[in-house]
Amino acid sequence: MSRMTVNDRPVEFLMDDDTPLLWALRDAANLTGTKYGCGTGDCGSCMVHIDGEPLRSCLVTIGEAEGRFVTTIEGLSGDRSHPVQQALVAEQAIQCGFCTPGIVMAAAALINRNPGASEADIKAAVPNLCRCGVYPRLVSAIQRAGRVARRQERISAAPAPGISSEDAAREVPALAAPPEESGRPEPEDR
């Protein structure tokens, strides 16, 4: 039984203390934004903040997280307004999205510590693997997020936080459901 604060809420996991935090978050707390990628700490898909530091949740047990403050992608910004989230969208530095939550968490911790991070700082602080290869755009997105955090720039490329899905579909037509075709044969019952 382990107690901690997750996304500003007290949580008690009734699980073995050796359970990886990743599985407690995903399976017990239903916080599925934290992804399972490798289980060995190599990919960074499971990155969360523990007491403000980016750590791979597949390598931290709930016993080790006892009494600590854990922030997942869901707790970082419920309205997508965090500068890193906004900059990744604006710079088109997202492809399939699987690794994105871990990258956002690593980059957000860096921006909190050093909003003027250099390319070398970014590459050292965001070691996440991305199979889609967004790395060149990722560096510029994180640097842009730093400028936003320093209030040197604003981003208006992403839909405003709190936008309804209908309004988002009007703003970004690719989000709209395709129109239903009339006269399409119904599947046969078998």
Side-chain angles (χ1 to χ4, degrees), residues 4-72:
M4 63 197 72
T5 302
V6 177
N7 297 337
D8 296 324
R9 293 192 171 147
V11 174
E12 181 176 16
F13 290 113
L14 302 176
M15 306 169 87
D16 187 290
D17 281 349
D18 291 330
T19 302
L21 179 60
L22 168 66
W23 298 120
L25 294 170
R26 288 185 60 79
D27 295 345
N30 198 31
L31 295 169
T32 58
T34 304
K35 304 298 184 200
Y36 171 77
C38 65
T40 59
D42 293 326
C43 74
S45 294
C46 65
M47 194 79 68
V48 298
H49 295 174
I50 300 178
D51 294 334
E53 293 299 315
L55 295 172
R56 293 163 179 87
S57 63
C58 70
L59 299 179
V60 177
T61 67
I62 60 173
E64 293 167 328
E66 173 90 33
R68 298 175 82 184
F69 290 87
V70 177
T71 304
T72 68

Side-chain angles (χ1 to χ4, degrees), residues 50-176:
I50 300 178
D51 294 334
E53 293 299 315
L55 295 172
R56 293 163 179 87
S57 63
C58 70
L59 299 179
V60 177
T61 67
I62 60 173
E64 293 167 328
E66 173 90 33
R68 298 175 82 184
F69 290 87
V70 177
T71 304
T72 68
I73 188 72
E74 293 91 347
L76 183 66
S77 171
D79 63 1
R80 303 181 315 269
S81 64
H82 192 280
V84 172
Q85 293 169 307
Q86 291 288 307
L88 286 172
V89 172
E91 293 290 320
Q92 299 179 14
I94 300 171
Q95 291 293 312
C96 79
F98 188 83
C99 65
T100 304
I103 288 172
V104 168
M105 297 306 287
L110 172 63
I111 295 301
N112 285 342
R113 285 190 316 275
N114 179 8
S118 68
E119 182 174 345
D121 294 333
I122 293 167
K123 288 179 177 180
V126 185
N128 305 58
L129 298 178
C130 172
R131 292 180 58 181
C132 300
V134 300
Y135 301 112
R137 289 175 287 181
L138 187 60
V139 170
S140 63
I142 295 170
Q143 288 175 329
R144 189 171 185 186
R147 291 191 302 275
V148 171
R150 293 188 315 266
R151 301 190 191 289
Q152 294 176 335
E153 183 177 337
R154 292 190 69 198
I155 296 176
S156 61
I163 192 169
S164 71
S165 56
E166 294 82 17
D167 289 342
R170 278 192 291 281
E171 294 289 325
V172 184
L175 296 177

